[in-house]
Amino acid sequence: MKTYEEINRKIETGKAVVLTAEEIIDYVDRKGLDAAAKEVDVVTTATFGPMCSSGCFLNFGHSKPKMRISEAWLDDVPAYSGIAAVDVFLGATQLRYNDPANMNYPGRFEFGGAHVIEKLVAGETVQLFGLSYGTDDYPRREIRTWFTIDDLNQAIMVNPRNCYQNYNVAVNCSSRRIHTYLGILEPYMRNATYCSAGQLSPLLNDPLYETVGVGTAVWLAGARGHVYAEGTQHAPTCDRSPNGVPREGAGTLALTGDMKQMDPEFVRGVSLPGYGVSLSLGVGVPIPILNEQILKRTTVRDKDIVAPLIDYSHDYPEKTGRVLGQVSYAALKTGEITFDGRTVRVSAMSSYGKALAIAERLKDEIRRGDFLLAQPLAPLPRQQSMKGLKITEEPK
Amino acid sequence: MITRKLFFRFPKSEIEKPIVYHLVKDYDLIINIFRARVTDNKEGYMVLDVTGEEESIERGVEFVRAFGVAIDPINKGVRWIEDRCTHCTNCIAHCPTNALHIDDRKTMRVTFTEELCVECLNCLSNCPYGACTSAF
Ligand code: SF4
Ligand code: SF4
């Protein structure tokens, strides 16, 4: 048994033993669970992929004369300004003004909120255009100016839902090509796509939320971020394997972090043809090895994690609940699965390559003493399902 | 016999010359054109494989150059910008020739083997990060 304080003391003195969630598998195999649990202090997990429920609050400071911005566009992408005078919220999936979307199907969605966020983190110049109705104390009614992230007082990423614990594998059983947030799906199940780092993924290494909770310090695109709440749609009550690992979506995290500290390599705008814009983020989560049980859970392998195979041409949009089957990440990562006697080509939407790089970087930061763990202030809910949206005929 | 993939950029004045015909007839080369286009400003582009004796290819290339055609041995029609690639692997299932492929499924990093690319352009519209582009 170790405590957060003990582990942090070891990190501060550069003595912490840290391994990635990939390395820990063989390590525990070699050393045995007992010995490894005593030796290892932290296991680093990571993921990189589109996380639509992301965005940022920006504060511009005041112009002369002052303005209470009531409508704002950043590089022509509308930003929500129904908050204080010079604060805005820019959502990742917001389309650029005049984007034809799917009017010319499939739309290309080349630029949106996520791309503005990518530009900001990369230090590039962005245009602010703002309008207002004008007040006695805030008389200015129009503004057009250019800024970089350095000119802002704050640029804080606030993401209501990141790091889905597990995710669907998408296929298309129809006879026409479809465009989804999991990429282009060819007819007759010719290809399948998945979106998870599997054995490296944060919540698959802590399936019952024994260490990750509200207040946990995370590596958010290179910045020191935090879990500020359970993520939206957090649904821990779900179908689980005997090892506790969910066999479907399940848990999620709401994350926040300072964009000024982020590394542009891990903040990338995504253009999903026929679907829309999203933001890909790199997230690393350190798992403190407080006891053997926690360590054991981090040794989960791709072959022991399964995801549901779902038809995105019918069952997903119509919400039928039908699952075609279960596939392991080990099978998915070979690039080919067999289903119903058919060979299906598999590719991903998340990047295992980048997830590995993040797990390594976080490991190095902890070893160097640059990243301390934070004990959660509150656990994530462990019993909770997701509600659907009822369409009512009359007001309640 | 060897095969070489070439990328021709024709100046405005030369797009009407039957260059490919001469490569076949006078230099005994087997030509496989993947993609060719004349742009709005009347410049022409062509990506092709030429197969033949090394010396004939050299001479054929000289012949084409004499018309002012630029032959770029590095930058071909389809370009994969490694810096923009996130190794999401999404393109892998859409590339018909495995020009975009994963060498090591432990690290899951994507690489591009230009010689295998048949310029189908699937990856251009598919790549969520704009890592695949075309010269024309
Ligand atoms: S789809 Fe684009 S970003 Fe993803 S691996 Fe292929 S080239 Fe790289
Ligand atoms: S153009 Fe076609 S063949 Fe070439 S890399 Fe892209 S998908 Fe593959």
Side-chain angles (χ1 to χ4, degrees), chain A residues 193-209:
Chain A
T193 51
Y194 66 98
C195 191
S196 171
Q199 64 191 15
L200 257 189
S201 187
L203 291 180
L204 290 174
N205 282 282
D206 183 11
L208 302 173
Y209 328 109

PDB file of all heavy atoms in Angstrom, chain A residues 193-209:
ATOM      1  N   THR A 193     -14.098   0.972 -38.563  1.00  0.00           N
ATOM      2  CA  THR A 193     -13.200   1.908 -37.879  1.00  0.00           C
ATOM      3  C   THR A 193     -13.463   1.873 -36.377  1.00  0.00           C
ATOM      4  O   THR A 193     -14.587   1.644 -35.937  1.00  0.00           O
ATOM      5  CB  THR A 193     -13.378   3.356 -38.374  1.00  0.00           C
ATOM      6  OG1 THR A 193     -14.758   3.689 -38.327  1.00  0.00           O
ATOM      7  CG2 THR A 193     -12.861   3.540 -39.780  1.00  0.00           C
ATOM      8  N   TYR A 194     -12.403   2.101 -35.624  1.00  0.00           N
ATOM      9  CA  TYR A 194     -12.529   2.146 -34.163  1.00  0.00           C
ATOM     10  C   TYR A 194     -11.830   3.397 -33.652  1.00  0.00           C
ATOM     11  O   TYR A 194     -11.135   4.081 -34.415  1.00  0.00           O
ATOM     12  CB  TYR A 194     -11.944   0.881 -33.527  1.00  0.00           C
ATOM     13  CG  TYR A 194     -10.448   0.717 -33.683  1.00  0.00           C
ATOM     14  CD1 TYR A 194      -9.570   1.090 -32.663  1.00  0.00           C
ATOM     15  CD2 TYR A 194      -9.899   0.198 -34.848  1.00  0.00           C
ATOM     16  CE1 TYR A 194      -8.199   0.943 -32.797  1.00  0.00           C
ATOM     17  CE2 TYR A 194      -8.528   0.044 -34.989  1.00  0.00           C
ATOM     18  CZ  TYR A 194      -7.684   0.420 -33.971  1.00  0.00           C
ATOM     19  OH  TYR A 194      -6.328   0.286 -34.108  1.00  0.00           O
ATOM     20  N   CYS A 195     -12.018   3.700 -32.369  1.00  0.00           N
ATOM     21  CA  CYS A 195     -11.447   4.934 -31.837  1.00  0.00           C
ATOM     22  C   CYS A 195     -11.119   4.754 -30.357  1.00  0.00           C
ATOM     23  O   CYS A 195     -11.899   5.133 -29.489  1.00  0.00           O
ATOM     24  CB  CYS A 195     -12.417   6.097 -32.035  1.00  0.00           C
ATOM     25  SG  CYS A 195     -11.665   7.700 -31.701  1.00  0.00           S
ATOM     26  N   SER A 196      -9.980   4.152 -30.080  1.00  0.00           N
ATOM     27  CA  SER A 196      -9.542   3.970 -28.700  1.00  0.00           C
ATOM     28  C   SER A 196      -8.087   3.555 -28.720  1.00  0.00           C
ATOM     29  O   SER A 196      -7.626   2.939 -29.673  1.00  0.00           O
ATOM     30  CB  SER A 196     -10.364   2.861 -28.028  1.00  0.00           C
ATOM     31  OG  SER A 196      -9.807   2.542 -26.766  1.00  0.00           O
ATOM     32  N   ALA A 197      -7.373   3.898 -27.664  1.00  0.00           N
ATOM     33  CA  ALA A 197      -5.981   3.461 -27.562  1.00  0.00           C
ATOM     34  C   ALA A 197      -5.895   2.091 -26.889  1.00  0.00           C
ATOM     35  O   ALA A 197      -4.808   1.621 -26.575  1.00  0.00           O
ATOM     36  CB  ALA A 197      -5.154   4.493 -26.812  1.00  0.00           C
ATOM     37  N   GLY A 198      -7.044   1.460 -26.644  1.00  0.00           N
ATOM     38  CA  GLY A 198      -7.042   0.099 -26.096  1.00  0.00           C
ATOM     39  C   GLY A 198      -6.260   0.008 -24.795  1.00  0.00           C
ATOM     40  O   GLY A 198      -6.527   0.730 -23.833  1.00  0.00           O
ATOM     41  N   GLN A 199      -5.270  -0.857 -24.780  1.00  0.00           N
ATOM     42  CA  GLN A 199      -4.520  -1.129 -23.542  1.00  0.00           C
ATOM     43  C   GLN A 199      -3.775   0.087 -22.989  1.00  0.00           C
ATOM     44  O   GLN A 199      -3.284   0.049 -21.862  1.00  0.00           O
ATOM     45  CB  GLN A 199      -3.539  -2.277 -23.772  1.00  0.00           C
ATOM     46  CG  GLN A 199      -2.463  -1.968 -24.792  1.00  0.00           C
ATOM     47  CD  GLN A 199      -1.659  -3.196 -25.200  1.00  0.00           C
ATOM     48  OE1 GLN A 199      -2.057  -4.324 -24.944  1.00  0.00           O
ATOM     49  NE2 GLN A 199      -0.520  -2.971 -25.828  1.00  0.00           N
ATOM     50  N   LEU A 200      -3.666   1.149 -23.795  1.00  0.00           N
ATOM     51  CA  LEU A 200      -2.984   2.361 -23.309  1.00  0.00           C
ATOM     52  C   LEU A 200      -3.990   3.385 -22.797  1.00  0.00           C
ATOM     53  O   LEU A 200      -3.632   4.370 -22.169  1.00  0.00           O
ATOM     54  CB  LEU A 200      -2.227   3.014 -24.465  1.00  0.00           C
ATOM     55  CG  LEU A 200      -0.734   2.881 -24.595  1.00  0.00           C
ATOM     56  CD1 LEU A 200      -0.247   3.811 -25.690  1.00  0.00           C
ATOM     57  CD2 LEU A 200       0.001   3.168 -23.300  1.00  0.00           C
ATOM     58  N   SER A 201      -5.263   3.176 -23.104  1.00  0.00           N
ATOM     59  CA  SER A 201      -6.285   4.188 -22.865  1.00  0.00           C
ATOM     60  C   SER A 201      -6.538   4.418 -21.370  1.00  0.00           C
ATOM     61  O   SER A 201      -6.613   3.467 -20.591  1.00  0.00           O
ATOM     62  CB  SER A 201      -7.576   3.758 -23.553  1.00  0.00           C
ATOM     63  OG  SER A 201      -8.516   4.786 -23.470  1.00  0.00           O
ATOM     64  N   PRO A 202      -6.662   5.692 -20.954  1.00  0.00           N
ATOM     65  CA  PRO A 202      -6.751   5.998 -19.521  1.00  0.00           C
ATOM     66  C   PRO A 202      -7.778   5.182 -18.746  1.00  0.00           C
ATOM     67  O   PRO A 202      -7.416   4.428 -17.835  1.00  0.00           O
ATOM     68  CB  PRO A 202      -7.091   7.492 -19.513  1.00  0.00           C
ATOM     69  CG  PRO A 202      -6.451   8.018 -20.765  1.00  0.00           C
ATOM     70  CD  PRO A 202      -6.584   6.911 -21.770  1.00  0.00           C
ATOM     71  N   LEU A 203      -9.053   5.297 -19.100  1.00  0.00           N
ATOM     72  CA  LEU A 203     -10.080   4.661 -18.269  1.00  0.00           C
ATOM     73  C   LEU A 203     -10.202   3.156 -18.498  1.00  0.00           C
ATOM     74  O   LEU A 203     -10.910   2.476 -17.754  1.00  0.00           O
ATOM     75  CB  LEU A 203     -11.429   5.353 -18.457  1.00  0.00           C
ATOM     76  CG  LEU A 203     -11.515   6.785 -17.881  1.00  0.00           C
ATOM     77  CD1 LEU A 203     -12.894   7.369 -18.126  1.00  0.00           C
ATOM     78  CD2 LEU A 203     -11.174   6.827 -16.403  1.00  0.00           C
ATOM     79  N   LEU A 204      -9.494   2.605 -19.477  1.00  0.00           N
ATOM     80  CA  LEU A 204      -9.479   1.140 -19.607  1.00  0.00           C
ATOM     81  C   LEU A 204      -8.447   0.556 -18.648  1.00  0.00           C
ATOM     82  O   LEU A 204      -8.450  -0.641 -18.364  1.00  0.00           O
ATOM     83  CB  LEU A 204      -9.186   0.721 -21.047  1.00  0.00           C
ATOM     84  CG  LEU A 204     -10.321   1.026 -22.032  1.00  0.00           C
ATOM     85  CD1 LEU A 204      -9.907   0.723 -23.466  1.00  0.00           C
ATOM     86  CD2 LEU A 204     -11.582   0.255 -21.671  1.00  0.00           C
ATOM     87  N   ASN A 205      -7.547   1.425 -18.143  1.00  0.00           N
ATOM     88  CA  ASN A 205      -6.551   0.987 -17.163  1.00  0.00           C
ATOM     89  C   ASN A 205      -6.998   1.238 -15.725  1.00  0.00           C
ATOM     90  O   ASN A 205      -6.318   0.837 -14.784  1.00  0.00           O
ATOM     91  CB  ASN A 205      -5.223   1.701 -17.420  1.00  0.00           C
ATOM     92  CG  ASN A 205      -4.480   1.074 -18.589  1.00  0.00           C
ATOM     93  OD1 ASN A 205      -3.868   0.027 -18.427  1.00  0.00           O
ATOM     94  ND2 ASN A 205      -4.558   1.683 -19.756  1.00  0.00           N
ATOM     95  N   ASP A 206      -8.098   1.958 -15.590  1.00  0.00           N
ATOM     96  CA  ASP A 206      -8.687   2.194 -14.269  1.00  0.00           C
ATOM     97  C   ASP A 206     -10.194   2.039 -14.430  1.00  0.00           C
ATOM     98  O   ASP A 206     -10.959   2.988 -14.286  1.00  0.00           O
ATOM     99  CB  ASP A 206      -8.330   3.613 -13.780  1.00  0.00           C
ATOM    100  CG  ASP A 206      -8.857   3.882 -12.377  1.00  0.00           C
ATOM    101  OD1 ASP A 206      -9.303   2.917 -11.704  1.00  0.00           O
ATOM    102  OD2 ASP A 206      -8.846   5.046 -11.954  1.00  0.00           O
ATOM    103  N   PRO A 207     -10.620   0.805 -14.774  1.00  0.00           N
ATOM    104  CA  PRO A 207     -11.993   0.618 -15.252  1.00  0.00           C
ATOM    105  C   PRO A 207     -13.060   0.961 -14.223  1.00  0.00           C
ATOM    106  O   PRO A 207     -14.169   1.315 -14.590  1.00  0.00           O
ATOM    107  CB  PRO A 207     -12.042  -0.867 -15.627  1.00  0.00           C
ATOM    108  CG  PRO A 207     -10.930  -1.506 -14.854  1.00  0.00           C
ATOM    109  CD  PRO A 207      -9.868  -0.465 -14.746  1.00  0.00           C
ATOM    110  N   LEU A 208     -12.714   0.869 -12.932  1.00  0.00           N
ATOM    111  CA  LEU A 208     -13.734   1.136 -11.903  1.00  0.00           C
ATOM    112  C   LEU A 208     -13.501   2.475 -11.207  1.00  0.00           C
ATOM    113  O   LEU A 208     -14.035   2.739 -10.138  1.00  0.00           O
ATOM    114  CB  LEU A 208     -13.765  -0.022 -10.897  1.00  0.00           C
ATOM    115  CG  LEU A 208     -14.052  -1.389 -11.546  1.00  0.00           C
ATOM    116  CD1 LEU A 208     -13.898  -2.514 -10.536  1.00  0.00           C
ATOM    117  CD2 LEU A 208     -15.434  -1.433 -12.175  1.00  0.00           C
ATOM    118  N   TYR A 209     -12.697   3.329 -11.838  1.00  0.00           N
ATOM    119  CA  TYR A 209     -12.449   4.696 -11.337  1.00  0.00           C
ATOM    120  C   TYR A 209     -11.938   4.665  -9.898  1.00  0.00           C
ATOM    121  O   TYR A 209     -12.402   5.402  -9.031  1.00  0.00           O
ATOM    122  CB  TYR A 209     -13.716   5.565 -11.453  1.00  0.00           C
ATOM    123  CG  TYR A 209     -14.570   5.163 -12.645  1.00  0.00           C
ATOM    124  CD1 TYR A 209     -15.791   4.520 -12.480  1.00  0.00           C
ATOM    125  CD2 TYR A 209     -14.113   5.377 -13.945  1.00  0.00           C
ATOM    126  CE1 TYR A 209     -16.550   4.102 -13.569  1.00  0.00           C
ATOM    127  CE2 TYR A 209     -14.859   4.956 -15.041  1.00  0.00           C
ATOM    128  CZ  TYR A 209     -16.072   4.321 -14.837  1.00  0.00           C
ATOM    129  OH  TYR A 209     -16.808   3.895 -15.912  1.00  0.00           O
TER     130      TYR A 209
END
